[in-house]
């Protein structure tokens, strides 16, 4: 499901001007495309990283 | 002169802290107009402090190797009574009441602060082309960027203006300027150096570290800055049998030809010292970079969001990044931290095979000021993404990483090596880095402030 960044941006306080959202939406869409398969592959029960002790 | 050489000269009464500090201040007055490395110069306070450090040493109170040496702090570190701008309009008149922990520790070690160094606005970028305080310039070619965000620190150290400058690193901000300016710079293990009192960008990716002319200087500085320091500073070590991992994937896929040549030379040098070169395959580093970008975009908004009502006071690149962060959901952020846990676990398996890993620090030498794309192996790449490509994942992993010079291009620009080690194994970086530095014998080269032609 694609995020409607323009709609989201106009609802923020302060809003992101339309001219600015035109520039950043493609960057976010590309990032979302890279991130989606990583999210989909998270095994259930995986905790969040919470600090350096997790690096061990 | 290195930190060890200066420390020795001070104790032999061949030079005083006041003389070293005067020399540093004179160099800054002469060179800073060319490179814009400093935002604030604390001339009067530095001279008074140097006199006090000389008096202490004369009384037999010796605080260690940094006693009486002129240093600089990135203008992101809070300094009591000295404005701390973060390279931003928001903090242009901010005068902290307290020192950052790292500033206090270096004060306790006897260092003499001569000023605050320039940076990319709010430490959120890699060019140090600051819209409010001007572009910091690379001493090796003043038409090129020094890297960033700790660009002023890299430029000040490379130009020989100070022995040490502090830096912060959220996605390469110590190591990129170290690579582009030909200095040694350490991004320590996460939280090995306190972040308290440093204006934050990303709470789980920010790291504080030293930037110096040599690896041994970097080790000496780190020992003064770190929580629970080991005290280790390498002399002449044996790295026979040390297992150096050399990635066969990712790090050599898209690389400037001269960087690739320098990397081959450094691997040969390590092998000649008796190290074992072990070919390894690293996990999907692009995936780790992706997670790093999600985390940074969101955490930066968490820190800087309250200032967003003043949109006109941000530079356009920083504002664009903050806007991106506002459009990422909480669920995406939480998932990025979950993926991060898996990625750390996966990467840590490499430490059963090797003791450290060699990679190029950046895929190219320093780009020109204002350059937005760079050609690497025949393809154009965004300068920011290219410069952070080998760096950002290391902040996600939280492991220590040393950047240091490993060569120069034909046109005289520094080329950087990155050495990675397991968590809290900074001493391994000092040991290996110092031997490589001796073998390559590059540290006596100094920039000539060459202005490139049209």
């Amino acid at each position: 499901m694609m995020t409607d960044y323009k709609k989201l941006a106009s609802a923020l306080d302060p809003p992101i001007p339309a001219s600015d959202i035109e520039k950043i939406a493609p960057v976010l869409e590309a990032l979302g495309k890279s991130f989606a398969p990583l999210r989909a592959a998270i095994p259930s029960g995986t905790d969040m990283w919470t600090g350096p002790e997790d690096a061990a | 002169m290195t930190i060890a050489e200066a420390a020795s000269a001070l104790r032999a009464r061949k030079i005083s802290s006041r003389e070293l500090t005067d020399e540093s201040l004179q160099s800054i007055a002469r060179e800073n107009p060319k490179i814009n490395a400093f935002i604030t110069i604390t001339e009067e306070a530095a001279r008074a402090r140097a006199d006090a450090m000389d008096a202490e040493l004369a009384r037999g109170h010796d605080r260690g190797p940094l006693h009486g040496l002129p240093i600089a702090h990135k203008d992101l570190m809070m300094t009591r009574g000295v404005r701390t701008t973060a390279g931003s309009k928001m903090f242009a008149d901010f005068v902290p009441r307290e020192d950052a922990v790292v500033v206090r520790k270096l004060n306790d070690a006897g260092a003499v602060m001569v000023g605050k160094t320039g940076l990319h606005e709010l430490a959120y970028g890699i060019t140090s082309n600051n819209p409010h305080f001007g572009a910091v310039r690379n001493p090796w070619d003043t038409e090129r960027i020094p890297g960033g965000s700790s660009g002023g620190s890299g430029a000040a150290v490379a130009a020989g203006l100070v022995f040490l400058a502090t830096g912060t690193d959220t996605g390469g901000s110590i190591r990129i300027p170290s690579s582009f300016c030909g200095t040694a710079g350490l991004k320590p293990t996460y939280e090995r150096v306190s972040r308290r009192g440093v204006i934050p960008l990303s709470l789980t990716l920010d790291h504080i570290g030293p930037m110096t002319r040599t690896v041994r200087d970097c080790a000496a500085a780190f020992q003064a800055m770190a929580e629970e320091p080991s005290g280790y500073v390498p002399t002449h070590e044996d790295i026979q049998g040390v297992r150096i991992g050399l990635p066969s994937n990712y790090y050599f896929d898209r690389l400037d030809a001269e960087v690739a040549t320098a990397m081959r030379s450094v691997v040969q040098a390590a092998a000649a010292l008796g190290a074992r070169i072990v070919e390894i395959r690293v996990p999907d580093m692009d995936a780790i970079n992706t997670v790093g970008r999600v985390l940074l975009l969101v955490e930066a908004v968490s820190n800087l969001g309250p200032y967003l009502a003043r949109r006109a006071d941000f530079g356009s690149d920083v504002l664009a990044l903050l806007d991106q962060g506002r459009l990422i959901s909480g669920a995406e952020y939480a998932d990025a931290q979950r993926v991060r846990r898996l990625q750390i676990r996966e990467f840590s398996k490499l430490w059963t095979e090797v003791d450290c890993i060699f990679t190029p620090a950046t895929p190219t030498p320093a780009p020109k000021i204002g350059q937005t794309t760079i050609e690497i192996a025949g393809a154009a790449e965004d300068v920011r993404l290219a410069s952070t490509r080998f760096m950002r994942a290391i902040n996600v992993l939280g492991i220590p990483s040393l950047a240091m010079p490993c060569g120069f291009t034909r046109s005289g620009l520094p080329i950087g090596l990155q050495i990675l080690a397991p968590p809290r194994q900074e001493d391994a970086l000092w040991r290996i880095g110092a031997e490589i530095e001796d073998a390559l014998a590059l540290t006596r080269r100094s920039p000539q402030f060459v202005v490139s032609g049209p």
Side-chain angles (χ1 to χ4, degrees), chain A residues 14 20 39 46 48-49 54, chain B residues 311 326 335 337-338 341:
Chain A
D20 289 353
R39 295 183 79 191
T46 303
M48 284 174 63
W49 182 88
D54 287 349
Chain B
R311 288 181 70 83
R326 298 171 75 200
D335 280 351
Q337 291 289 20
R338 296 172 76 202
R341 176 183 278 261

Side-chain angles (χ1 to χ4, degrees), chain B residues 74-366:
Chain B
K74 182 177 183 177
D75 205 15
L76 201 65
M77 317 291 179
M78 291 191 200
T79 41
R80 189 177 58 186
V82 177
R83 75 168 179 159
T84 299
T85 69
S88 163
K89 267 192 178 176
M90 313 298 164
F91 295 92
D93 301 313
F94 172 49
V95 179
R97 291 181 185 168
E98 299 292 335
D99 284 327
V101 168
V102 70
V103 171
R104 180 179 53 73
K105 278 180 168 281
L106 287 168
N107 281 343
D108 290 348
V112 176
M113 182 183 79
V114 294
K116 308 288 296 286
T117 56
L119 64 158
H120 200 103
E121 181 183 9
L122 293 160
Y124 206 177
I126 63 95
T127 67
S128 301
N129 190 0
N130 189 303
H132 316 298
F133 295 91
V136 182
R137 294 173 179 273
N138 191 317
W140 295 93
D141 178 344
T142 54
E143 295 300 306
R144 293 181 185 272
I145 62 168
S149 62
S150 312
S153 291
V157 169
L161 308 184
V162 287
F163 288 94
L164 154 71
T166 53
T168 65
D169 191 318
T170 305
S173 286
I174 287 173
R175 293 161 292 152
I176 294 167
S178 292
S179 178
F180 290 169
C181 293
T183 64
L186 175 80
K187 182 204 81 64
T189 307
Y190 181 67
E191 291 196 332
R192 189 87 199 267
V193 174
S194 172
R195 293 177 287 112
R196 188 172 293 275
V198 181
I199 294 173
L201 177 62
S202 164
L203 295 176
T204 75
L205 297 170
D206 286 349
H207 298 67
I208 320 300
M211 300 170 75
T212 58
R213 297 285 295 276
T214 71
V215 171
R216 289 182 179 85
D217 282 1
C218 211
F222 173 70
Q223 300 304 349
M225 295 164 71
E227 304 295 314
E228 302 174 21
S230 72
Y232 173 70
V233 177
T235 50
H236 291 288
E237 309 290 337
D238 182 359
I239 62 166
Q240 286 217 25
V242 168
R243 300 169 302 167
I244 295 175
L246 193 65
S248 61
N249 61 324
Y250 189 75
Y251 284 99
F252 294 87
D253 294 347
R254 281 178 291 141
L255 206 55
D256 176 273
E258 289 188 278
V259 176
T261 301
M263 284 302 299
R264 279 194 289 276
S265 299
V266 79
V267 170
Q268 283 168 5
L273 290 166
R276 274 179 54 203
I277 310 300
V278 181
E279 194 175 291
I280 56 169
R281 286 193 69 78
V282 292
D284 185 347
M285 304 307 283
D286 276 333
I288 307 178
N289 281 339
T290 294
V291 164
R293 287 178 64 198
V294 172
L295 297 174
L296 173 56
L297 288 168
V298 176
E299 292 184 11
V301 175
S302 166
N303 288 309
L304 300 170
Y307 300 98
L308 273 167
R310 295 169 59 184
R311 288 181 70 83
D313 287 343
F314 285 103
S316 58
D317 61 332
V318 170
L319 187 60
L321 290 167
L322 290 170
D323 282 342
Q324 287 173 46
R326 298 171 75 200
L327 295 168
I328 294 173
S329 72
E332 286 170 310
Y333 176 79
D335 280 351
Q337 291 289 20
R338 296 172 76 202
V339 178
R340 179 187 203 173
R341 176 183 278 261
L342 301 172
Q343 289 172 330
I344 289 172
R345 199 174 296 159
E346 181 67 20
F347 193 92
S348 68
K349 291 176 187 166
L350 288 171
W351 303 126
T352 61
E353 298 173 44
V354 295
D355 302 306
C356 68
I357 297 170
F358 278 17
T359 81
T362 50
T364 70

